Structure formats: C-alpha cells, structure tokens
Amino acid sequence: MGEMEQLRKEAESLKDEITAARKAVQDLTLQDHVAGTAVVGRVQLKTRKTLRGHLSKIYAVHWGDSKLCVSASQDGKLIVWDSYTTNKVHAIPLKSSWVMTCSYAPSGNMVACGGLDNMCSIYNLKGKDGNVKVMRELAAHTGYLSCCRFLNDNEIITSSGDCTCVLWDIETGSQKTVFAGHLGDCMSLGVAPDFNTFISGACDFTAKLWDIRDGQCRQTFGGHESDINAIGFFPNGNAVITGSDDASCKLYDLRSDQELITYQDSGIMCGVTSLAPSLSGRLILAGYDDFNCNIWDSLKAERVGVLSGHDNRVSCIGVTPDGMACCTGSWDSFLKIWN
Amino acid sequence: EAFGTSYHHTSLHHTAEMFSCVFLSIVQMEDVIARMQDEKNGIPIRTVKSFLSKIPSVFSGNSPTSVLYTLRFQAVEALHLGTLMAAHGYFFPISDHVLTLKDDGTFYRFQTPYFWPSNCWEPENTDYAVYLCKRTMQNKARLELADYEAESLARLQRAFARKWEFIFMQAEAQAKVDKKRDKIERKILDSQERAFWDVHRPVPGCVNTTEVDIKKSSRMKNPHKTRKSVYGLQNDIRSHSPTHTPAPEAKQPTEEELREQIKFGQAQLDRHRLKMSKVAESLLSYTEQYSDYDPFLCTPDPSNPWISDDTTFWEMEASKEPGQTRVRRWGFGINEVLKDPIGREQFLKFLESEFSSENLRFWLAVQELKKRPIREVPTRVQEIWEEFLAPGAPSAINVDSKSYGKTTQNVKDPGRYAFEDAQEHIYKLMKSDSYSRFIRSSAYQELLQAKKKGKSLISKRLPAVVLSC
C-alpha cells in the first residue's frame, strides 16, 4: 500500500473514531433534558427607533455600549449613532464603498471597517481636533474582509475571503498571527467572553474554534449543508451558535465537542444572514434573506417570535451588552431598534 | 406545453451541487412550487371569461395560501412564503408589474420553468433591449410600455447606438415568430416573459430579488455560464435550453496536509468530552439563572429605558453605589465580579482588608498588560515580574513550580502572554479560595441586603414567560 494511501486511510479512520467518541457521550439529547421545561411564551418586540440616514444597503452593525452603535453601508459611509436619541454622532466617509463589516472597540475609542478593498481600516474617534481620521490601514489579506472584531485598542481580529483569519497589532499594522485551516471563504467571526479564543464560520460549511494565544485550531464543527454566514458565542462562553445558507441555525457545545440542536422549520427557506443571542442565551435572534428576523427559544428549538418591518433582507443584527435592545440592519437602508 | 407538468425532482443537495450558483433556498422553493402545481392536490388552474375574451391559465390570489396550508404550512407562514415566491417570479399577477401576492380574488399565473431562478439567469442589457424593442412592435394595448420601461428603452438606445440595427433585427425576428403563434398561447407566453423581466429589471422602488450579497457574488463559480443570452442567437426562445456546468471537484489533499489532518485528528480524539446530559443541565441552569437579567424575558427594574423613556436604569449602572440586583449577580461566579468594575473594586477592598490582595492585583495587572501597545510590553512585564514573582517580591504570589519555570523563561523574551500560565493558576486559586470568602463575607452580605430607596427588590417576570417549576 502506497504511503499516501496509508495516510488517507489513517485520516479516515481517525474521523470515524472521533464520530464514535462524540456518540459515546450522547447519554441524553438536549431535547430530552428540557422535555419538562415549558417553551418561553410568545416574544413580541416592537420597533422603538428607526435610524435613517444611510442611502443604500446596510451590510453591518455593531454595538459599542448600551446606546452607541456603528453601521456600514454600500453608500460608502460608516455612521456612529446614539441610537437612543437617533442622532448621528459621526458620519465617516470611506475610501471604498464596498464595505462588508464594521466593529466598535470595547473602549469606545475606535471603529474599524473593511470589505472588497481587502483591508481593515481603523478610525480614531477621539482624535485631538475632533475630526475622525484613518489611524491605520491593515493590509495583507488576499481576499475580501468579511468581519472584524477588536480585542482591545491594540489588537483586532479579521476574517477574510482568502480563507484565513488574522490577529493584527494595530499600532505597528503587522500581522501577529494567521489562523489558517478553513477550506472556504471565512464569512464571520466571534470573540469569546474571556477573550482567549474566537470562532470563525466559513464557506466550507464548518465552524472552527481558535486559540488566540498560540494560533492553533482547537476544534472544528460540521453539519451544515451550506455556507455559514453568521456565528456567535452563547453567553456562557461554552457553546457556539451558527447561521447558514441552508436556512438553519445550530448550537454546538465546546465541552461535549458536538452539535446539540438545530433551529429550522419547513416554512423557512431562506438563508440566515446574521444572529445574536439575548443576554441569558434563552433567545436567539436570527436575520434571514426573506426580510424577517426570527426569534428562537434556544433550548426548545421553537420559534417564539418574528421581527417583521424591513422591506428588504435583514443583513445584520446585534444585542446591546446590557441586553436591553436589539438592532437590525437591512438592505432597505434602515436600522431598527427593537425590544 | 408552456409550463409543463413534468419537472426534475432531484434531491436538494444534488441540485445545489450541480448548479453552483443556486442557493438551497431556491431549490426548496421550487420543490414546493412543483407540489403546488400538482394536478390532483395543487392549485386549480382555469380559463376565465372576461368581456369579449378569455383569460387562460390563471388561479386566484387566495389559492396559493390555501394550498400551502394543506401542505402543512402555518397560515402566517403561508402568506409570507407565497409573497416570497411571487417576488422571485414563480407566479405573478397578470395585471401588474409589481410582484407580490394578495390573498384575494385577483388573478395569477405560473411562470414557465425555463425562466425559473434555478437556471441562473443574469440577463444582459442587450436581451432587455431586444425585449423592449419587440414590445413596441407588437401594437397591442396590453403590451404598451410603462413609463419606467420607456425610460429604460431610451437609455438603452443611447448605450447601444452602434449595435441598434442588430438589436432591432432580433426584435423584428421574434415579433414575426410570435405573430404566428396561437392567440391563447401568445397571451400566456407574453405574460411569462414580462414577469421574467419584472424579476430581473424590477419596477423602480421594488425589491430586486436577484441581488446577491457581494460576498457571494465574488465567489460565483463558472462565470462564463451566467453570460448566456435569454433569447440565444437566432434560436427560438422556447426551444433553447440552458446548459449547466457541474461544480469543480474538490482538490485532493497533499501529503503534508494529510499529516496535519492526522495530527489534528489525534489531538481531537484525545480531548475529554463532557456528557451531553451535563452540558444540557449547565445550559438550562445558566439560562434560568440569567433570565432575571434578560430584558427580553423579564422587565428590568425600574424600567427598560427604550420603552419607558426613563434612563434611571442606566444612571444606576453608572453610579458608584451598586444596586441589589447587580450585587446578586456577583454571586453567580467569579467572572461576574471580575467583569464588573464596581465588583472588582469591592472584591479588591475586601481582600485588602484581609491583607491577601496580591493574587487579584496580579490578575488585574496581567489583564491590563494584554491591552497595552506592544512597545510598552517589555517594560511592563519587567515591572509585574519585580512586583509579584521575582525573589523577594513585595507582593509575592504563590505559583506552582511548572508555571514559575515557564514564566521565568518567558520574561527573558517578553510578550503579551508572558504570564498566561501563572495567571491561569492564580485564577483557579482565586476561584476556589478568595472568591468564596468574599461571597461569604459580611461586606458582601451587607451590600446584598442593602435596600434600594423605595424600589421593589424582586424583578418582575413578564407574564408571557413560563419556565420550569
């Protein structure tokens, strides 16, 4: 038997052994365990604010704190909103209008964005003269920038259409770590509550957990039948939620190393574009291509609410750190605040 | 036969694999459409008499939702799904360019499979020009151009000025063929063609359902395939069928990649997996514990500022005096104390009163170090080493010998993660020792008992929430 053939056989048998090991801990499914728990009652959220100002499709939104958020649109603008008053705090013109992602630094001092320009541009909001300027342009990706998330004012993680994720040092503009391993475009990333790890979802239908410190891929989760467009941590940091073009969302647990449950419905035929858990994790809000946002009971896997109000695809969604409100952004150019 | 009773019933995945630009959503929708077109259980199609003419092959607007209902879709879903299918052009109102579904008596017609989205059409403007030009030749009131179509035609005439003769000839040829067709057949085919263009060149203000996320469009495989003309060259529109190229085969892994896979696989196999029952229990208890703090499940105390327009909640969060609900949360676990600035303050104050604050101070210093700009890191690492770990350190902490050895090495070439092992050891110590003492301390208990001025101490459950007893 040739060496390649031997290696292939070994890799295959390992896959089977891992599947068996995962099965071995399935003493009970999540459904069985929560059989005695009632479904959360109907959740009816209303639009409290509509943020108007973008002139084209909104591609991304990210909360900075309980009131401030940043949004990115194909009209070539990044807008920082005081969502409570609906005032625009900053309207930042971009060099490239093909923006796909934006992020607010936890400190509130910076925002970042990127897209078809393959770069992540960092903007300083607290400059001396009050003007918002480009602080750094992080260039090295060979594909579009699909997502970016600040760890702190000095570090940011990006995901790209070049199938890699990168940890950058903002001050020097250099790549500190490259996380390679996905076999398809990376579409989305989420940072763990303890900032030690992050997860990425890609067009190879898998989600990967990465160790930020040593650059290693710790775990890989499969099961989706199409691109994973959205990903996020369950608030306890021990589980991961994914949303895919296969019209379903899935919950994977890190400690049992496998899928716990799938959120899908025969009546939903459109891809999931975005997702966010509520503060307790009991609810998962997911945006879809069919202009709606569905609210799922995360434990019972039943739909308990719908947010309908957008006239085009819901492209992005986020829940404030204090859990008080949810923001949806849409191709109809509006952002809506719900609770 | 215009829209055929035969259709290819391939499996979801096979189709999606074959037609790489087709999203699973399209395949699923067409599966339902096919069932809606079933002769026995589908939508009843009929010819309606109107004044001096007949309207062939239509169904009324309330049919789709009732059929979808029998196909086991919930009522609200049925209308939403029906509207979605109309927006994608699977059926269309016969008297309107706007592709929507109204649950009433207005008439709709099915689209012919040739024009279905699964054929990956991305029609060129030359095709649209031929179509609009042909419409002006047909001299029928029902084919008169709408304002926006007339504007488009004018624009296209300017853009294609040099090849207008060719476009005109194509239009003329098609119009000639159309004239020879049976009147009823023409009515049906004309409307289907118009509906196709309503999808690809929508009425201004309408959503264009063919728009693709730019992240996906830059990935579309087989670009040459999507450039095919709807009308083809000199071919009759109804007989030309599009060809499909299968998606490219996945590359075989190299030897190095296989070795990496095996190494990763081995590490995966060796990892400890927690039983599902334990994991399920932990998820359930986490969500229950935090339900009181989830504004989507429980009304926050005193109110949700977004709903009441009263910002007291945020003012209280920002104040130096922590409320009882906030203090209670610190009791959920050490992470809650560490992530709340007031919690950290109180925890530190308590430990200082016991002269055992060095662990927490070390942990906080290392967290802060990780956020520093890289040029400040070496100095800061040295400072932390001197304060907490060096022989004779003023705030000496107790770390296991393995971590101590590793840290000593790391400090020689200092990076942000120089103290990772030591920090993890100290975190575990704090969790089992200092933290539990803090929660049991009178200082904490006092904060927990402190009554807020005249406000209810019990958060109100929203009536809709029902959790397990």
Side-chain angles (χ1 to χ4, degrees):
Chain A
M1 201 189 295
E3 197 178 352
M4 281 298 280
E5 189 54 38
Q6 229 171 346
L7 288 176
R8 251 179 251 128
K9 270 191 139 60
E10 200 181 333
E12 275 309 305
S13 80
L14 269 173
K15 279 200 193 114
D16 293 334
E17 283 177 87
I18 291 169
T19 307
R22 283 173 171 165
K23 232 183 144 73
V25 295
Q26 284 174 10
D27 55 341
L28 205 66
T29 64
L30 178 60
Q31 283 113 307
D32 295 332
H33 191 86
V34 299
T37 309
V39 180
V40 163
R42 191 112 198 108
V43 176
Q44 276 162 331
L45 304 184
K46 293 204 178 84
T47 304
R48 306 293 169 181
K49 312 274 180 190
T50 299
L51 306 180
R52 294 164 219 274
H54 278 302
L55 303 172
S56 183
K57 298 190 181 75
I58 291 172
Y59 261 80
V61 72
H62 191 218
W63 286 102
D65 62 17
S66 48
K67 281 176 268 184
L68 297 173
C69 68
V70 63
S71 61
S73 160
Q74 298 270 270
D75 63 5
K77 285 239 164 46
L78 216 57
I79 299 182
V80 176
W81 309 82
D82 175 331
S83 314
Y84 197 62
T85 59
T86 73
N87 287 339
K88 298 179 193 49
V89 181
H90 301 285
I92 307 164
L94 305 173
K95 279 192 205 163
S96 162
S97 67
W98 300 109
V99 65
M100 296 168 171
T101 180
C102 62
S103 176
Y104 217 128
S107 64
N109 294 333
M110 303 179 226
V111 290
C113 68
L116 278 185
D117 59 356
N118 299 2
M119 285 193 321
C120 183
S121 303
I122 315 283
Y123 293 84
N124 185 358
L125 298 179
K126 307 277 167 81
K128 284 184 202 112
D129 55 0
N131 284 335
V132 175
K133 286 195 283 257
V134 179
M135 204 182 100
R136 203 66 80 225
E137 280 172 346
L138 309 172
H141 277 301
T142 53
Y144 59 82
L145 206 85
S146 52
C147 193
C148 59
R149 285 292 178 260
F150 282 93
L151 291 182
N152 50 59
D153 282 3
N154 292 297
E155 294 175 300
I156 191 167
I157 301 183
T158 56
S159 65
S160 167
D162 67 12
C163 309
T164 68
C165 295
V166 171
L167 169 70
W168 304 81
D169 180 283
I170 295 173
E171 208 191 359
T172 59
S174 60
Q175 290 180 299
K176 288 189 62 213
T177 316
V178 177
F179 303 89
H182 274 300
L183 300 172
D185 302 20
C186 294
M187 297 293 275
S188 181
L189 74 97
V191 180
D194 67 6
F195 290 87
N196 287 334
T197 57
F198 76 93
I199 41 174
S200 59
C203 293
D204 60 5
F205 311 175
T206 70
K208 283 180 183 288
L209 176 77
W210 306 90
D211 186 316
I212 294 177
R213 295 161 295 187
D214 64 18
Q216 294 303 308
C217 170
R218 293 261 165 257
Q219 283 169 278
T220 302
F221 300 99
H224 273 298
E225 294 170 344
S226 189
D227 300 353
I228 293 178
N229 298 319
I231 198 163
F233 270 93
F234 193 86
N236 69 357
N238 290 325
V240 168
I241 315 163
T242 53
S244 163
D245 268 344
D246 67 10
S248 77
C249 294
K250 285 179 188 289
L251 181 72
Y252 297 94
D253 189 87
L254 301 180
R255 293 166 305 178
S256 59
D257 187 42
Q258 59 193 284
E259 177 188 325
L260 286 183
I261 204 159
T262 299
Y263 308 100
Q264 70 189 357
D265 191 299
S266 60
I268 302 174
M269 297 184 181
C270 286
V272 179
T273 59
S274 48
L275 59 85
S278 70
L279 186 139
S280 66
R282 186 62 193 266
L283 302 175
I284 295 172
L285 297 98
Y288 292 75
D289 280 347
D290 66 2
F291 313 175
N292 279 347
C293 182
N294 290 310
I295 307 177
W296 296 90
D297 176 327
S298 64
L299 300 180
K300 303 289 284 182
E302 284 185 34
R303 262 198 295 178
V304 294
V306 174
L307 303 180
S308 52
H310 282 294
D311 295 325
N312 205 329
R313 185 182 295 203
V314 172
S315 56
C316 49
I317 194 166
V319 171
T320 56
D322 63 7
M324 288 287 178
C326 144
C327 178
T328 51
S330 166
W331 280 12
D332 69 7
S333 82
F334 300 119
L335 295 150
K336 286 181 186 283
I337 311 290
W338 311 77
N339 51 32
Chain B
E1 160 69 279
F3 38 86
T5 46
S6 67
Y7 54 87
H8 293 293
H9 200 159
T10 53
S11 78
L12 235 59
H13 316 294
H14 180 58
T15 312
E17 263 167 38
M18 274 179 66
F19 315 145
S20 57
C21 76
V22 173
F23 298 108
L24 280 179
S25 55
I26 296 290
V27 176
Q28 280 172 302
M29 264 195 279
E30 292 185 1
D31 192 57
V32 177
I33 289 284
R35 285 189 281 162
M36 284 166 77
Q37 288 180 314
D38 179 67
E39 266 172 24
K40 263 198 284 181
N41 304 315
I43 294 179
I45 296 164
R46 60 197 209 281
T47 299
V48 171
K49 287 212 177 71
S50 129
F51 288 133
L52 305 162
S53 66
K54 287 191 238 175
I55 308 175
S57 211
V58 292
F59 55 87
S60 62
N62 34 39
S63 298
T65 43
S66 57
V67 168
L68 284 170
Y69 192 67
T70 59
L71 289 177
R72 318 259 164 137
F73 292 98
Q74 301 294 314
V76 171
E77 260 173 20
L79 187 59
H80 181 75
L81 186 56
T83 309
L84 200 62
M85 288 173 170
H88 278 87
Y90 288 106
F91 46 78
F92 52 91
I94 58 169
S95 325
D96 201 342
H97 278 292
V98 178
L99 298 171
T100 189
L101 174 65
K102 292 202 195 92
D103 196 6
D104 59 16
T106 47
F107 293 124
Y108 294 77
R109 188 170 286 142
F110 275 114
Q111 178 59 281
T112 178
Y114 179 76
F115 283 137
W116 284 6
S118 55
N119 286 335
C120 305
W121 295 112
E122 266 185 39
E124 298 277 2
N125 278 330
T126 37
D127 280 349
Y128 191 41
V130 167
Y131 168 67
L132 289 176
C133 194
K134 177 172 68 165
R135 285 263 297 275
T136 63
M137 294 170 179
Q138 288 167 311
N139 205 22
K140 277 218 147 41
R142 65 179 166 86
L143 294 170
E144 219 173 80
L145 294 182
D147 285 345
Y148 76 94
E149 289 176 312
E151 276 170 36
S152 296
L153 181 57
R155 254 184 303 122
L156 290 166
Q157 276 171 332
R158 286 196 297 276
F160 294 130
R162 264 182 275 154
K163 53 175 178 172
W164 198 257
E165 209 182 309
F166 169 76
I167 289 172
F168 189 87
M169 271 169 52
Q170 288 293 311
E172 223 177 22
Q174 284 189 25
K176 232 188 200 168
V177 170
D178 285 349
K179 275 206 179 76
K180 295 195 190 131
R181 290 190 186 280
D182 167 71
K183 217 169 69 168
I184 298 287
E185 209 191 337
R186 262 180 74 188
K187 254 190 181 166
I188 296 173
L189 296 169
D190 282 348
S191 69
Q192 288 172 335
E193 194 183 2
R194 188 194 73 182
F196 172 80
W197 287 111
D198 285 340
V199 169
H200 291 274
R201 298 287 185 278
V203 179
C206 283
V207 173
N208 185 339
T209 54
T210 65
E211 279 183 319
V212 181
D213 186 312
I214 48 173
K215 284 175 280 196
K216 310 281 180 176
S217 63
S218 59
R219 273 180 61 224
M220 294 289 222
K221 299 164 197 148
N222 307 317
H224 58 277
K225 166 174 67 114
T226 59
R227 291 272 169 264
K228 62 183 183 280
S229 157
V230 184
Y231 300 117
L233 286 170
Q234 292 152 356
N235 281 356
D236 187 88
I237 174 180
R238 321 319 153 187
S239 62
H240 183 80
S241 59
T243 51
H244 298 281
T245 326
E249 265 182 43
K251 275 194 310 193
Q252 287 297 328
T254 64
E255 183 181 326
E256 197 187 316
E257 282 169 350
L258 274 173
R259 288 192 192 282
E260 274 299 310
Q261 266 182 40
I262 289 166
K263 196 168 126 201
F264 182 74
Q266 203 57 61
Q268 288 306 293
L269 194 58
D270 292 340
R271 68 175 300 121
H272 171 67
R273 284 174 187 81
L274 208 57
K275 280 204 199 295
M276 294 273 268
S277 53
K278 281 212 151 57
V279 156
E281 176 52 43
S282 136
L283 277 174
L284 183 58
S285 58
Y286 184 92
T287 56
E288 283 188 347
Q289 190 174 51
Y290 284 87
S291 276
D292 281 350
Y293 297 85
D294 189 336
F296 292 161
L297 297 174
C298 283
T299 314
D301 183 27
S303 67
N304 187 325
W306 296 93
I307 302 175
S308 65
D309 277 337
D310 170 13
T311 58
T312 310
F313 183 92
W314 286 328
E315 285 156 24
M316 275 162 47
E317 286 286 305
S319 82
K320 280 274 162 186
E321 289 177 31
Q324 194 232 30
T325 337
R326 191 170 171 181
V327 173
R328 182 159 71 92
R329 199 168 159 170
W330 301 343
F332 291 174
I334 189 175
N335 289 332
E336 289 295 339
V337 176
L338 292 177
K339 77 179 190 206
D340 184 342
I342 309 279
R344 288 197 296 271
E345 210 181 278
Q346 291 295 323
F347 191 21
L348 189 62
K349 210 165 122 186
F350 164 73
L351 291 174
E352 276 168 354
S353 72
E354 292 200 334
F355 304 102
S356 62
S357 65
E358 61 280 351
N359 283 348
L360 180 58
R361 282 189 291 119
F362 171 72
W363 189 89
L364 290 171
V366 175
Q367 285 300 92
E368 199 268 337
L369 164 73
K370 289 192 268 196
K371 296 183 191 167
R372 289 275 185 120
I374 203 82
R375 59 189 151 79
E376 293 176 18
V377 165
T379 330
R380 195 71 195 111
V381 167
Q382 227 13 72
E383 287 169 2
I384 293 174
W385 171 259
E386 297 293 325
E387 175 73 19
F388 297 100
L389 287 157
S395 311
I397 55 172
N398 255 327
V399 180
D400 64 296
S401 54
K402 191 169 168 205
S403 304
Y404 192 84
K406 259 186 129 183
T407 311
T408 316
Q409 287 306 307
N410 291 345
V411 170
K412 292 186 181 142
D413 181 20
R416 282 200 185 99
Y417 301 116
F419 298 110
E420 276 313 278
D421 292 300
Q423 193 192 28
E424 209 166 309
H425 180 87
I426 292 297
Y427 174 83
K428 287 192 184 118
L429 269 180
M430 283 200 299
K431 192 170 171 180
S432 59
D433 182 42
S434 342
Y435 171 72
S436 7
R437 285 205 321 276
F438 171 60
I439 297 301
R440 288 195 306 266
S441 73
S442 52
Y444 175 75
Q445 293 299 325
E446 268 167 39
L447 282 170
L448 197 57
Q449 302 304 328
K451 275 191 164 51
K452 292 203 310 292
K453 309 174 187 70
K455 305 271 184 197
S456 157
L457 294 174
I458 303 159
S459 61
K460 301 175 281 268
R461 280 290 163 93
L462 287 170
V465 173
V466 178
L467 293 179
S468 72
C469 26

